[in-house]
Amino acid sequence: MAAALLLFLATDTALAAPKCQGREATVTGVTGTEGDDVIIGTSKRDSINGNGGNDLICGQGGNDSISGGAGNDQIYGDNGDDTIDGGDGDDFISGDNGIDVINGGLGNDQLKGKNGNDFIYGDEGNDSIAGGNGKDSIDGDGGNDVLSGNNGADSVVGSAGSDRIFGNAGNDKLFISSDDIEVDGGKGKNTCFGTIPLVYQNCQLTP
C-alpha cells in the first residue's frame, strides 16, 4: 500500500511539472546559461534572463520582465502584463494575454502582441510585427518591416526603411513615408500621416 502511494505521488509530481511549448525546463530558477536553455517562470512576477544561446522562455503567470539576451530566442509572455526584450538575434516573441511591452532588439524578429493593448517596438532589422486583438502601438524602427495592426484601433509607425504597413480591422492611425512599398489601412475609418507611398489604399491621407 505504501509503495503504491509513493508511486502515485511520484507520477503525479512528474505530470504536474510545467512545460514550455511541450518542453520541460533545463535550468533551475529563471536565469539561463550561455547555452540553449528552456526557462519557465512561475505564477508570480518573475525577472527572467536567458543570457546567451538560443533559448526557449515561457513567463507563465504574473507581470514578468523577460530578457532573451544574445541568440535566436523564442519567448512567450503567457498571462500577465509583461515587459519583453529579445536582445540581439533573430527572435520570436509572443506577448499572449495582457498589456505587454515588447522590444525585438537587434535582428530580424517576429513579434506578436496577441491579446491586450500592447506596445511593440521592432528596433533595427527586417522585422515582422502583428498587433493582434486590442488597441496596439507598433513601431517598426529601422529595417524593411512588415507591420500589421490586426484587430483594434491601432497606431502603426513605419519609421526608417521600405516597409509594408497594414491596419487591418479597426480605425487605425498609420504613419507612413514615400519609402514604404505598400500601405493598406484595411477595414475601418483609417488615417494616414506622412507622404504617399507607391501602393496606398483604404486610408485618408493627412500630410
Side-chain angles (χ1 to χ4, degrees):
M1 181 68 177
L5 178 59
L6 288 174
L7 178 61
F8 171 79
L9 291 174
T11 304
D12 185 64
T13 301
L15 291 175
K19 292 185 177 182
C20 179
Q21 298 298 299
R23 299 176 60 186
E24 294 186 2
T26 60
V27 298
T28 301
V30 292
T31 301
T33 68
E34 292 304 313
D36 300 343
D37 306 308
V38 179
I39 305 172
I40 302 176
T42 69
S43 60
K44 299 180 181 179
R45 182 193 301 263
D46 300 308
S47 181
I48 301 174
N49 190 345
N51 285 318
N54 303 328
D55 304 311
L56 173 61
I57 301 174
C58 286
Q60 301 279 50
N63 301 332
D64 303 313
S65 175
I66 303 175
S67 174
N72 303 328
D73 306 308
Q74 296 181 54
I75 303 175
Y76 299 85
D78 295 325
N79 295 321
D81 301 336
D82 304 310
T83 300
I84 304 174
D85 189 333
D88 293 351
D90 300 337
D91 305 308
F92 172 88
I93 301 176
S94 179
D96 297 323
N97 297 321
I99 301 173
D100 303 308
V101 179
I102 299 173
N103 186 333
L106 299 179
N108 304 326
D109 305 307
Q110 185 177 353
L111 313 176
K112 296 183 177 182
K114 290 293 186 75
N115 299 317
N117 301 331
D118 304 308
F119 300 84
I120 310 175
Y121 181 72
D123 211 333
E124 296 295 328
N126 302 327
D127 304 309
S128 175
I129 303 177
N133 297 319
K135 186 179 179 181
D136 303 308
S137 296
I138 297 172
D139 188 340
D141 198 45
N144 303 325
D145 306 310
V146 178
L147 311 175
S148 301
N150 288 347
N151 297 323
D154 306 306
S155 172
V156 184
V157 181
S159 293
S162 300
D163 305 311
R164 298 178 185 272
I165 302 175
F166 305 96
N168 299 120
N171 300 331
D172 305 309
K173 295 181 179 180
L174 310 181
F175 296 83
I176 64 178
S177 75
S178 58
D179 292 330
D180 296 325
I181 296 174
E182 181 180 3
V183 173
D184 188 345
K187 296 179 180 179
K189 186 178 179 180
N190 307 301
T191 306
C192 285
F193 300 87
T195 54
I196 298 176
L198 294 176
V199 179
Y200 152 81
Q201 60 183 344
N202 298 321
C203 206
Q204 178 65 44
L205 184 66
T206 300

Short mmCIF file of all heavy atoms in Angstrom, two decimals, residues 45 62-65 77-84 94-102 112-120 131 133-137:
data_model
loop_
_atom_site.label_atom_id
_atom_site.label_comp_id
_atom_site.label_asym_id
_atom_site.label_seq_id
_atom_site.Cartn_x
_atom_site.Cartn_y
_atom_site.Cartn_z
N ARG A 45 5.37 37.35 -10.21
CA ARG A 45 6.16 38.29 -11.01
C ARG A 45 7.62 37.81 -11.07
O ARG A 45 8.31 37.80 -10.04
CB ARG A 45 6.07 39.68 -10.39
CG ARG A 45 6.83 40.76 -11.18
CD ARG A 45 6.95 42.02 -10.33
NE ARG A 45 5.66 42.53 -9.95
CZ ARG A 45 5.02 43.51 -10.58
NH1 ARG A 45 5.57 44.07 -11.65
NH2 ARG A 45 3.85 43.94 -10.16
N GLY A 62 1.72 36.13 -13.99
CA GLY A 62 2.42 37.24 -13.36
C GLY A 62 2.88 38.27 -14.36
O GLY A 62 2.98 38.01 -15.56
N ASN A 63 3.18 39.47 -13.86
CA ASN A 63 3.67 40.56 -14.70
C ASN A 63 5.20 40.45 -14.76
O ASN A 63 5.91 41.00 -13.92
CB ASN A 63 3.24 41.91 -14.13
CG ASN A 63 1.74 42.03 -14.02
OD1 ASN A 63 1.00 41.42 -14.78
ND2 ASN A 63 1.27 42.83 -13.07
N ASP A 64 5.68 39.75 -15.77
CA ASP A 64 7.09 39.38 -15.83
C ASP A 64 7.94 40.38 -16.60
O ASP A 64 7.47 41.08 -17.49
CB ASP A 64 7.24 38.00 -16.50
CG ASP A 64 6.44 36.92 -15.78
OD1 ASP A 64 6.53 36.85 -14.55
OD2 ASP A 64 5.73 36.16 -16.46
N SER A 65 9.23 40.37 -16.26
CA SER A 65 10.26 41.06 -17.03
C SER A 65 11.16 39.98 -17.63
O SER A 65 11.77 39.21 -16.90
CB SER A 65 11.07 42.00 -16.14
OG SER A 65 12.14 42.58 -16.87
N GLY A 77 5.19 35.36 -23.41
CA GLY A 77 4.88 36.04 -22.17
C GLY A 77 3.83 35.31 -21.34
O GLY A 77 3.83 35.39 -20.13
N ASP A 78 2.91 34.61 -22.01
CA ASP A 78 1.79 33.95 -21.36
C ASP A 78 0.91 34.99 -20.66
O ASP A 78 0.78 36.10 -21.14
CB ASP A 78 2.28 32.86 -20.41
CG ASP A 78 2.97 31.72 -21.16
OD1 ASP A 78 2.55 31.41 -22.28
OD2 ASP A 78 3.95 31.15 -20.64
N ASN A 79 0.31 34.67 -19.52
CA ASN A 79 -0.61 35.59 -18.85
C ASN A 79 0.15 36.66 -18.07
O ASN A 79 1.21 36.40 -17.50
CB ASN A 79 -1.53 34.82 -17.90
CG ASN A 79 -2.44 33.86 -18.63
OD1 ASN A 79 -2.94 34.17 -19.71
ND2 ASN A 79 -2.66 32.68 -18.06
N GLY A 80 -0.42 37.87 -18.03
CA GLY A 80 0.18 38.96 -17.27
C GLY A 80 0.63 40.09 -18.18
O GLY A 80 0.72 39.95 -19.40
N ASP A 81 0.88 41.25 -17.55
CA ASP A 81 1.37 42.43 -18.27
C ASP A 81 2.89 42.37 -18.28
O ASP A 81 3.55 42.80 -17.32
CB ASP A 81 0.87 43.71 -17.60
CG ASP A 81 -0.65 43.78 -17.54
OD1 ASP A 81 -1.31 43.14 -18.37
OD2 ASP A 81 -1.17 44.49 -16.65
N ASP A 82 3.45 41.85 -19.35
CA ASP A 82 4.88 41.54 -19.39
C ASP A 82 5.68 42.61 -20.14
O ASP A 82 5.19 43.26 -21.06
CB ASP A 82 5.10 40.19 -20.07
CG ASP A 82 4.31 39.07 -19.40
OD1 ASP A 82 4.40 38.96 -18.17
OD2 ASP A 82 3.59 38.35 -20.11
N THR A 83 6.96 42.73 -19.74
CA THR A 83 7.94 43.54 -20.47
C THR A 83 8.99 42.58 -21.03
O THR A 83 9.66 41.88 -20.27
CB THR A 83 8.59 44.57 -19.54
OG1 THR A 83 7.59 45.44 -19.01
CG2 THR A 83 9.62 45.40 -20.31
N ILE A 84 9.12 42.53 -22.35
CA ILE A 84 9.94 41.53 -23.00
C ILE A 84 10.94 42.20 -23.94
O ILE A 84 10.57 43.01 -24.78
CB ILE A 84 9.08 40.53 -23.80
CG1 ILE A 84 8.02 39.89 -22.91
CG2 ILE A 84 9.96 39.46 -24.44
CD1 ILE A 84 7.04 39.00 -23.65
N SER A 94 6.03 36.31 -28.47
CA SER A 94 4.58 36.40 -28.39
C SER A 94 4.20 36.91 -27.01
O SER A 94 4.49 36.25 -26.00
CB SER A 94 3.95 35.02 -28.65
OG SER A 94 2.55 35.10 -28.56
N GLY A 95 3.54 38.06 -26.97
CA GLY A 95 3.15 38.63 -25.68
C GLY A 95 2.04 37.84 -25.01
O GLY A 95 1.95 37.77 -23.80
N ASP A 96 1.15 37.26 -25.81
CA ASP A 96 0.00 36.49 -25.34
C ASP A 96 -0.97 37.39 -24.58
O ASP A 96 -1.23 38.51 -24.98
CB ASP A 96 0.46 35.28 -24.52
CG ASP A 96 1.28 34.32 -25.39
OD1 ASP A 96 0.93 34.16 -26.57
OD2 ASP A 96 2.26 33.74 -24.89
N ASN A 97 -1.53 36.97 -23.45
CA ASN A 97 -2.56 37.73 -22.75
C ASN A 97 -1.94 38.82 -21.87
O ASN A 97 -0.95 38.58 -21.19
CB ASN A 97 -3.41 36.80 -21.89
CG ASN A 97 -4.16 35.77 -22.72
OD1 ASN A 97 -4.66 36.07 -23.79
ND2 ASN A 97 -4.24 34.55 -22.22
N GLY A 98 -2.58 40.00 -21.87
CA GLY A 98 -2.11 41.09 -21.03
C GLY A 98 -1.66 42.28 -21.85
O GLY A 98 -1.57 42.22 -23.09
N ILE A 99 -1.36 43.37 -21.16
CA ILE A 99 -0.83 44.58 -21.80
C ILE A 99 0.69 44.47 -21.77
O ILE A 99 1.33 44.72 -20.75
CB ILE A 99 -1.32 45.85 -21.06
CG1 ILE A 99 -2.84 45.90 -21.07
CG2 ILE A 99 -0.74 47.09 -21.72
CD1 ILE A 99 -3.42 47.03 -20.24
N ASP A 100 1.26 44.11 -22.90
CA ASP A 100 2.68 43.80 -22.97
C ASP A 100 3.48 44.90 -23.65
O ASP A 100 2.99 45.58 -24.55
CB ASP A 100 2.90 42.49 -23.73
CG ASP A 100 2.13 41.33 -23.10
OD1 ASP A 100 2.28 41.12 -21.89
OD2 ASP A 100 1.38 40.65 -23.82
N VAL A 101 4.73 45.04 -23.21
CA VAL A 101 5.69 45.93 -23.85
C VAL A 101 6.79 45.05 -24.43
O VAL A 101 7.50 44.36 -23.69
CB VAL A 101 6.28 46.94 -22.85
CG1 VAL A 101 7.31 47.83 -23.55
CG2 VAL A 101 5.18 47.79 -22.23
N ILE A 102 6.92 45.07 -25.76
CA ILE A 102 7.82 44.15 -26.45
C ILE A 102 8.84 44.94 -27.26
O ILE A 102 8.48 45.82 -28.05
CB ILE A 102 7.03 43.21 -27.38
CG1 ILE A 102 6.04 42.36 -26.58
CG2 ILE A 102 7.98 42.32 -28.18
CD1 ILE A 102 5.11 41.53 -27.45
N LYS A 112 4.66 39.28 -31.91
CA LYS A 112 3.20 39.21 -31.88
C LYS A 112 2.71 39.69 -30.52
O LYS A 112 3.14 39.20 -29.48
CB LYS A 112 2.73 37.78 -32.12
CG LYS A 112 3.08 37.24 -33.50
CD LYS A 112 2.52 35.84 -33.73
CE LYS A 112 2.81 35.34 -35.13
NZ LYS A 112 2.22 33.99 -35.36
N GLY A 113 1.76 40.64 -30.55
CA GLY A 113 1.19 41.13 -29.30
C GLY A 113 0.16 40.19 -28.73
O GLY A 113 0.02 40.05 -27.53
N LYS A 114 -0.64 39.59 -29.60
CA LYS A 114 -1.77 38.72 -29.23
C LYS A 114 -2.85 39.56 -28.54
O LYS A 114 -3.25 40.60 -29.02
CB LYS A 114 -1.32 37.53 -28.39
CG LYS A 114 -0.51 36.50 -29.19
CD LYS A 114 -1.38 35.80 -30.23
CE LYS A 114 -0.67 34.68 -30.95
NZ LYS A 114 -0.51 33.47 -30.16
N ASN A 115 -3.34 39.14 -27.35
CA ASN A 115 -4.47 39.80 -26.69
C ASN A 115 -3.98 40.90 -25.74
O ASN A 115 -3.06 40.69 -24.96
CB ASN A 115 -5.29 38.78 -25.90
CG ASN A 115 -5.88 37.71 -26.81
OD1 ASN A 115 -6.38 38.01 -27.88
ND2 ASN A 115 -5.84 36.47 -26.38
N GLY A 116 -4.65 42.07 -25.81
CA GLY A 116 -4.28 43.19 -24.94
C GLY A 116 -3.85 44.40 -25.75
O GLY A 116 -3.56 44.31 -26.95
N ASN A 117 -3.79 45.56 -25.08
CA ASN A 117 -3.35 46.80 -25.71
C ASN A 117 -1.83 46.88 -25.58
O ASN A 117 -1.29 47.41 -24.61
CB ASN A 117 -4.01 48.01 -25.05
CG ASN A 117 -5.53 47.95 -25.12
OD1 ASN A 117 -6.09 47.37 -26.06
ND2 ASN A 117 -6.21 48.52 -24.15
N ASP A 118 -1.13 46.38 -26.57
CA ASP A 118 0.31 46.17 -26.48
C ASP A 118 1.11 47.29 -27.12
O ASP A 118 0.64 47.99 -28.02
CB ASP A 118 0.68 44.84 -27.15
CG ASP A 118 -0.08 43.66 -26.55
OD1 ASP A 118 -0.06 43.52 -25.33
OD2 ASP A 118 -0.69 42.91 -27.32
N PHE A 119 2.37 47.40 -26.65
CA PHE A 119 3.35 48.33 -27.21
C PHE A 119 4.49 47.48 -27.79
O PHE A 119 5.18 46.78 -27.04
CB PHE A 119 3.88 49.28 -26.14
CG PHE A 119 2.82 50.13 -25.50
CD1 PHE A 119 2.07 49.65 -24.45
CD2 PHE A 119 2.56 51.41 -25.97
CE1 PHE A 119 1.08 50.43 -23.86
CE2 PHE A 119 1.57 52.19 -25.40
CZ PHE A 119 0.84 51.71 -24.34
N ILE A 120 4.68 47.56 -29.12
CA ILE A 120 5.63 46.68 -29.78
C ILE A 120 6.61 47.51 -30.60
O ILE A 120 6.21 48.30 -31.46
CB ILE A 120 4.91 45.66 -30.69
CG1 ILE A 120 3.78 44.96 -29.94
CG2 ILE A 120 5.91 44.64 -31.23
CD1 ILE A 120 2.94 44.04 -30.81
N GLY A 131 -0.03 43.07 -34.29
CA GLY A 131 -0.56 43.52 -33.02
C GLY A 131 -1.50 42.53 -32.35
O GLY A 131 -1.43 42.32 -31.15
N ASN A 133 -5.32 41.25 -31.05
CA ASN A 133 -6.53 41.88 -30.53
C ASN A 133 -6.16 42.98 -29.54
O ASN A 133 -5.36 42.76 -28.64
CB ASN A 133 -7.41 40.84 -29.84
CG ASN A 133 -7.90 39.78 -30.80
OD1 ASN A 133 -8.27 40.08 -31.94
ND2 ASN A 133 -7.91 38.54 -30.36
N GLY A 134 -6.79 44.15 -29.70
CA GLY A 134 -6.52 45.24 -28.77
C GLY A 134 -6.09 46.50 -29.51
O GLY A 134 -5.87 46.50 -30.73
N LYS A 135 -5.95 47.56 -28.75
CA LYS A 135 -5.52 48.85 -29.27
C LYS A 135 -4.00 48.93 -29.12
O LYS A 135 -3.48 49.36 -28.09
CB LYS A 135 -6.21 49.99 -28.50
CG LYS A 135 -5.95 51.37 -29.04
CD LYS A 135 -6.71 52.42 -28.22
CE LYS A 135 -6.44 53.83 -28.73
NZ LYS A 135 -7.17 54.84 -27.93
N ASP A 136 -3.30 48.53 -30.17
CA ASP A 136 -1.85 48.36 -30.10
C ASP A 136 -1.11 49.56 -30.67
O ASP A 136 -1.59 50.25 -31.56
CB ASP A 136 -1.44 47.10 -30.87
CG ASP A 136 -2.14 45.85 -30.36
OD1 ASP A 136 -2.10 45.61 -29.15
OD2 ASP A 136 -2.75 45.15 -31.18
N SER A 137 0.10 49.76 -30.14
CA SER A 137 1.03 50.77 -30.66
C SER A 137 2.25 50.04 -31.19
O SER A 137 2.95 49.34 -30.44
CB SER A 137 1.44 51.76 -29.57
OG SER A 137 0.32 52.49 -29.11
#
